[in-house]
């Protein structure tokens, strides 16, 4: 079971990732693309193009690979860059519950009108 209380950092891989990759493929993304250490006490979270599946890579005396799939909804996934975005554990909980953590939304903001 995923215990995120003992995790120090959480990195979201912004944009979409080919989730056919297994542990070794995701480790290569963490090392080569993000220039991060996959052995640190962190979670590396990846999302597919349809934004309905997640894979979480975690090292704890060996690599763990968690898989989470939504049946009816989509994750509010950050899509603005191809970098790893550092978030805290609480923001990961929000994301898993369906809340948005991205800084720049792909949706236009609603401007209040002056009409009452």
């Amino acid at each position: 079971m995923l215990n995120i209380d003992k995790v120090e950092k959480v990195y979201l891989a912004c944009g979409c990732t080919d989730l056919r990759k297994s542990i070794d493929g995701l480790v290569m993304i963490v090392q080569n693309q993000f220039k991060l250490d996959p052995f640190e006490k962190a979670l590396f979270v990846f999302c597919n193009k349809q934004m309905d599946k997640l894979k979480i890579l975690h090292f704890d005396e060996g690599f763990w690979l968690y898989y989470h799939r939504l049946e009816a909804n989509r994750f509010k996934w950050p899509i603005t860059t191809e970098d790893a975005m550092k978030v805290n554990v609480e923001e990961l909980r929000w994301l898993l519950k369906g809340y948005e953590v991205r800084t720049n939304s792909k949706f236009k903001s609603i401007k209040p009108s002056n009409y009452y």
Side-chain angles (χ1 to χ4, degrees):
M1 174 128 213
L2 177 62
N3 184 0
I4 60 177
D5 295 329
K6 295 183 180 182
V7 172
E8 296 173 3
K9 299 175 188 172
V10 177
Y11 295 99
L12 304 182
C14 298
C16 60
T17 302
D18 181 1
L19 291 190
R20 293 177 291 180
K21 295 183 185 308
S22 62
I23 291 173
D24 293 332
L26 296 176
V27 166
M28 294 300 291
I29 291 174
V30 171
Q31 288 177 325
N32 297 332
Q33 186 174 341
F34 302 142
K35 309 294 187 220
L36 296 170
D37 179 14
F39 298 99
E40 68 178 295
K41 291 203 179 285
L43 298 178
F44 300 94
V45 188
F46 303 88
C47 189
N48 68 336
K49 189 174 185 178
Q50 293 79 22
M51 295 183 192
D52 63 349
K53 297 175 187 78
L54 290 180
K55 279 192 175 178
I56 300 174
L57 183 68
H58 179 219
F59 184 80
D60 182 23
E61 299 182 23
F63 280 105
W64 288 86
L65 186 62
Y66 304 98
Y67 180 78
H68 184 62
R69 179 179 74 187
L70 295 177
E71 294 300 322
N73 296 325
R74 296 182 189 271
F75 293 106
K76 308 287 191 292
W77 197 253
I79 57 174
T80 56
T81 66
E82 292 300 322
D83 296 328
M85 182 173 85
K86 186 176 172 186
V87 297
N88 61 36
V89 173
E90 190 63 31
E91 289 172 316
L92 176 62
R93 285 190 179 109
W94 295 340
L95 181 72
L96 294 175
K97 290 181 181 180
Y99 298 113
E100 185 172 357
V101 296
R102 74 169 68 107
T103 55
N104 294 327
S105 176
K106 67 179 180 177
F107 303 105
K108 293 181 180 178
S109 60
I110 299 173
K111 296 180 182 176
S113 64
N114 294 332
Y115 304 106
Y116 293 105

